[in-house]
Amino acid sequence: MKFDSPAAANPIDRLKVIGRPLDRIDGPLKTTGTAPYAYERHDIVADPAYGHVIGATIAKGRITAMDLSAAERAPGVLAVVTAQNAGALTKGNYNTAHLLGGPAIQHYHQAVALVVAESFEQARAAAHLVRIDYKAEPGSFDLYTAKGAATAPEPTDLTGPIDTHIGDFPRAYAQAAVRLDETYTTPDQSHAMMEPHATLARWEGDRLTVWTSNQMVAWSTGELATTLGLPPEKVRLISPYIGGGFGSKLFLRADVVLAALGARAAGRPVKVALQRPLIANNTTHRPATIQRIRLGAERDGTISAIGHESWSGDLEGGGPETAVGQTRLLYAGANRMTSMRLAVLDLPEGNAMRAPGEAPGLMALEIAMDEMAEKLGIDPVEFRIRNDTQVDPEHPERPFSARPFAQCLRLGAERFGWDRRNARPGQIRDGRWLIGLGMAAGFRNNLLAKSGARVRLDSRGIVTVETDMTDIGTGSYTIIAQTAAEMMGVPMDQVQVVLGDSSFPVSAGSGGQWGAASSTAGVYAACMKLREEVARKMSFNSADAEFVDGEVRVGNRSAKLRAAAAEGDLVAEDSMEYGDIAEKMQQSTFAGHFVEVAVDSATGESRIRRMLAVCAAGRILNPKSARSQVIGAMTMGAGAALMEELAVDTKRGFFVNHDLAGYEVPVHADIPHQEVVFLDETDPMSTPLKAKGVGELGICGVGAAVANAIYNATGARVRDYPITLDKHLDRLPEIA
């Protein structure tokens, strides 16, 4: 099915199932511990072996010698896999570094060997017997030092243009009545998902099946086939449940490749889970950024010049953190400039982490907007509304498909009690605590991808949906079931959803906030085809047929839906493809984030007291699961603001705090009260369901809202994340 014109009235609009706050249908499995995660699959193969990964202990250089003899003689050892004996391997398109290193080492903890044994304990013990000699080489590990040598990377579909210039930014900035020129930094961050990267691999002749934890089934199936030199049809990837990913499991990782190689070497199925201390350095992370923002405005608050430059680093051949993306679209301004520069660093690979680009970009831009509002003497909410736009500022001929940005801010201000905020910092106290309110805009583009599904109707009236879409804790099972139930006119308990198998139709997968809108659109397309088949079977005109309450009705005629499959299952398969609507109209999602903080007047310790997000993301398919997505994202944004930072050893080139004992993330006590409000809106330009993604919007802008609240509480402006107490302790107001 082709979506190339605005969505008209359709069966989804009945809203008998769609739009309801239904419990997640996978909830009972997860709360009882029976959801089949990759490493915990005990029902698939008998007597699997276990692999233990060995990571490089240098950041750059070469392996000069490997002694495997002691490990190979150790009890229970079945095989030791290295680059020397693994056979020819090719690097896929989505990885910057090779997933099995040697003899060249590209980054610290790059996998260099896998020990396979009868038990995990035997594999781990034998891994300590492998002796590896290295010759280390000097590397570049510090973004600040490498910034001067950063260059313009090659543009891609993900980055868009590297530099943009609209109007005459230098002249407009120089002539502006009020100017701001500040630099902000964000650190390297870890995804820190609960489930590690894990895989169970089995060979049957020349056919490989992997049960793994992966967000993008089709991408990684193709990459695994490429890496191992196999025809794609010889590889099957299964990933029905994922214990968190946040972007770290978008692409093929070392656990999958090593499990496949280990299973081939041992001649039996092998399980591999990356040890937690390896994950931060072996997989991917959100890269650090240095961002310079210049704003020029007239005395009435109209932005006349806006410039945003960003520097980030990655391995050679990698890409930039696209931190300037939202600045190209969020606010009006006749004279504009953005640029991205990339430094080559010999740190582990930088790549997508929840809301890549906008999350760190808004952490800088929205502090700058707060600072500019203060310079102008204008309320921060009002300043943003004055610079709202209904068209793409860089391409004014492209209107936004829907842009209720100002409504998000106004409603948020009203619900949060923004009018009680004292604009003068450091004035409100509660005992020993300094109290502050802050806000920031949230913005994330609405990305869509071709997505397919197969829908089956059986003689019991059960509708089964099959698609390789994944559920990373986001509620995909539930909203897909809701879509099928709405389209086929059956209750939720008459729908079965099977996900995450490469033998199913290719979906959008989970990433980029495109999963919900795209995958449900694919199910819509398949259900439309199934409706036509059912109507044909019953000699009804499909255009007039209503599917409701388990029946098909046309005028005064009706029949049970299940009757259409009395002679055998009816099966339909289709995909939703998109025309050029996205080229003609800019599709985005918006939010207003509001935060109240308390800062200890003696110690500088910050505590969040309450948070509010008002979101505009088209039709909300399931308010309960969407709220969960947003409060999780808000929590993640709070962590980015206050505590999350991968500490770089700039001499040896690795992340020091590379496990959950040292990498701090928020806990329940850090986030006492959160509220989420969704605007009642639809966007017919998005999909037939008129929905957009929301999972990444919730993190965008949160960090800056926290930072702005801390400034309002203390009068100490911090522009370098995370905002730890040492960065403002000496600037706190005097204790009365």
Side-chain angles (χ1 to χ4, degrees):
M1 177 180 288
K2 193 73 172 286
F3 186 77
D4 52 10
S5 59
N10 63 58
I12 292 295
D13 295 326
R14 295 180 306 172
L15 300 181
K16 291 191 172 184
V17 188
I18 285 290
R20 304 292 182 182
L22 303 181
D23 292 344
R24 282 177 37 186
I25 60 178
D26 54 315
L29 288 175
K30 291 179 176 177
T31 54
T32 58
T34 53
Y37 292 94
Y39 200 76
E40 300 165 359
R41 295 303 293 258
H42 307 298
D43 57 335
I44 300 299
V45 301
D47 195 26
Y50 293 81
H52 194 273
V53 179
I54 299 174
T57 58
I58 63 169
K60 185 178 182 181
R62 299 184 66 81
I63 295 173
T64 57
M66 295 184 76
D67 184 354
L68 311 179
S69 57
E72 291 171 333
R73 294 194 304 268
V77 170
L78 302 172
V80 180
V81 178
T82 70
Q84 287 184 314
N85 60 27
L89 300 175
T90 302
K91 186 178 74 66
N93 294 323
Y94 291 114
N95 298 116
T96 305
H98 290 275
L99 297 179
L100 178 58
I105 300 301
Q106 295 169 281
H107 63 84
Y108 186 83
H109 271 173
Q110 183 175 20
V112 294
L114 178 77
V115 177
V116 181
E118 296 282 356
S119 72
F120 168 76
E121 291 78 8
Q122 289 173 327
R124 180 177 59 185
H128 290 293
L129 301 177
V130 174
R131 295 291 175 257
I132 306 175
D133 295 329
Y134 299 95
K135 181 180 180 181
E137 299 174 4
S140 176
F141 309 125
D142 182 16
L143 177 60
Y144 301 93
T145 302
K147 176 175 176 282
T151 60
E154 289 296 319
T156 67
D157 290 341
L158 292 175
T159 64
I162 300 303
D163 299 325
T164 63
H165 300 276
I166 304 297
D168 188 342
F169 169 78
R171 180 180 179 186
Y173 179 75
Q175 295 178 350
V178 181
R179 293 189 296 273
L180 173 83
D181 184 351
E182 296 291 352
T183 298
Y184 308 83
T185 67
T186 63
D188 298 287
Q189 296 174 349
S190 173
H191 301 82
M193 77 303 297
M194 288 184 68
E195 182 197 20
H197 298 72
T199 301
L200 167 61
R202 178 182 69 191
W203 291 88
E204 294 173 295
D206 61 350
R207 292 184 174 273
L208 171 64
T209 302
V210 293
W211 293 265
T212 189
S213 187
N214 188 274
Q215 299 172 225
M216 301 292 294
V217 169
W219 286 7
S220 294
T221 302
E223 290 284 278
L224 183 56
T226 297
T227 301
L228 299 178
L230 296 172
E233 62 272 14
K234 298 284 189 180
V235 177
R236 184 181 180 189
L237 190 151
I238 302 172
S239 185
Y241 292 95
I242 302 167
F246 307 117
S248 71
K249 297 174 181 175
L250 282 172
F251 316 112
L252 195 69
R253 301 310 316 163
D255 60 296
V256 190
V257 173
L258 291 176
L261 294 173
R264 185 163 64 186
R268 59 191 279 191
V270 168
K271 284 185 175 184
V272 173
L274 290 182
Q275 308 93 289
R276 181 66 64 177
L278 253 68
I279 290 176
N281 288 291
N282 179 270
T283 63
T284 62
H285 68 283
R286 192 196 299 281
T289 68
I290 301 170
Q291 301 178 53
R292 181 189 183 192
I293 296 179
R294 283 174 283 175
L295 297 176
E298 303 309 314
R299 290 290 178 187
D300 65 357
T302 302
I303 294 175
S304 56
I306 181 167
H308 192 167
E309 301 164 88
S310 176
W311 292 262
S312 59
D314 202 358
L315 290 168
E316 187 172 359
E321 178 69 53
T322 55
V324 304
Q326 73 290 318
T327 307
R328 296 171 176 175
L329 291 162
L330 186 49
Y331 296 114
N335 303 281
R336 319 172 64 85
M337 176 275 292
T338 68
S339 73
M340 293 178 283
R341 293 295 179 266
L342 181 65
V344 174
L345 297 179
D346 299 303
L347 291 172
E349 179 178 342
N351 215 313
M353 181 170 161
R354 195 175 197 171
E358 288 96 335
L362 285 164
M363 289 172 76
L365 176 65
E366 287 301 288
I367 293 183
M369 290 293 289
D370 205 64
E371 294 193 69
M372 192 61 165
E374 184 179 46
K375 281 176 172 283
L376 291 162
I378 300 175
D379 179 82
V381 173
E382 176 60 27
F383 178 50
R384 288 166 172 82
I385 292 173
R386 287 189 192 182
N387 291 283
D388 192 14
T389 174
Q390 295 300 310
V391 300
D392 176 348
E394 292 192 355
H395 303 281
E397 71 280 3
R398 295 179 67 239
F400 281 86
S401 60
R403 189 180 160 108
F405 175 50
Q407 292 95 307
C408 290
L409 300 185
R410 289 193 176 101
L411 180 58
E414 178 186 341
R415 293 284 290 262
F416 199 70
W418 185 255
D419 60 339
R420 297 193 296 272
R421 171 183 176 268
N422 190 326
R424 186 181 172 194
Q427 300 304 302
I428 307 300
R429 292 177 181 260
D430 180 5
R432 72 178 192 181
W433 297 95
L434 298 161
I435 308 302
L437 303 184
M439 60 79 56
F443 176 91
R444 175 74 171 158
N445 278 330
N446 182 49
L447 306 176
L448 297 167
K450 179 181 177 180
S451 194
R454 182 184 304 127
V455 186
R456 184 185 312 273
L457 173 67
D458 68 19
S459 59
R460 301 168 296 162
I462 301 294
V463 176
T464 300
V465 183
E466 297 173 338
T467 170
D468 81 355
M469 180 61 185
T470 51
D471 191 323
I472 59 173
T474 47
S476 300
Y477 280 98
T478 309
I479 59 171
I480 285 173
Q482 288 178 266
T483 304
E486 195 78 78
M487 292 296 295
M488 302 310 300
V490 299
M492 285 283 284
D493 60 9
Q494 291 288 102
V495 179
Q496 296 178 350
V497 178
V498 191
L499 300 181
D501 190 324
S502 63
S503 66
F504 296 159
V506 175
S507 74
S510 298
Q513 194 176 274
W514 61 62
S518 299
S519 66
T520 53
V523 174
Y524 174 98
C527 285
M528 287 296 290
K529 185 169 284 190
L530 181 60
R531 285 164 61 106
E532 293 173 2
E533 182 63 17
V534 168
R536 184 192 64 78
K537 198 81 170 172
M538 294 180 165
S539 300
F540 288 159
N541 184 337
S542 62
D544 299 328
E546 288 186 281
F547 289 68
V548 65
D549 297 333
E551 294 184 342
V552 186
R553 302 170 185 170
V554 175
N556 59 1
R557 295 177 58 203
S558 67
K560 295 292 184 183
L561 178 65
R562 65 175 182 266
E567 298 175 359
D569 292 359
L570 297 183
V571 181
E573 183 177 325
D574 203 357
S575 296
M576 184 64 70
E577 301 182 56
Y578 298 90
D580 61 355
I581 291 181
E583 298 174 11
K584 296 177 180 178
M585 305 191 82
Q586 175 60 40
Q587 297 185 28
S588 303
T589 60
F590 304 90
H593 288 290
F594 295 80
V595 173
E596 178 181 326
V597 302
V599 180
D600 190 299
S601 58
T603 69
E605 180 183 17
S606 299
R607 284 281 180 261
I608 293 175
R609 289 193 166 187
R610 58 191 178 104
M611 307 177 77
L612 167 68
V614 179
C615 302
R619 172 174 283 152
I620 302 302
L621 304 177
N622 184 323
K624 180 177 283 189
S625 59
R627 176 183 179 275
S628 293
Q629 281 297 287
V630 175
I631 65 173
M634 292 161 71
T635 303
M636 204 167 175
L642 296 177
M643 60 192 70
E644 294 193 41
E645 177 181 16
L646 283 170
V648 181
D649 183 323
T650 57
K651 291 184 178 180
R652 299 193 63 194
F654 70 98
F655 300 127
V656 180
N657 52 338
H658 50 229
D659 56 36
L660 293 184
Y663 185 82
E664 296 184 5
V665 296
V667 297
H668 287 86
D670 295 315
I671 314 290
H673 180 77
Q674 294 173 311
E675 184 182 0
V676 179
V677 177
F678 296 110
L679 294 190
D680 184 12
E681 64 147 356
T682 59
D683 190 342
M685 301 297 177
S686 180
T687 77
L689 284 82
K690 304 164 189 172
K692 299 176 181 177
V694 75
E696 298 185 340
L697 175 65
I699 193 176
C700 295
V702 174
V706 174
N708 294 336
I710 290 174
Y711 173 73
N712 182 245
T714 65
R717 179 70 74 181
V718 180
R719 302 183 182 92
D720 301 299
Y721 293 95
I723 306 172
T724 47
L725 58 86
D726 57 295
K727 294 176 182 174
H728 61 200
L729 183 58
D730 61 346
R731 294 184 286 155
L732 297 181
E734 292 293 328
I735 299 175

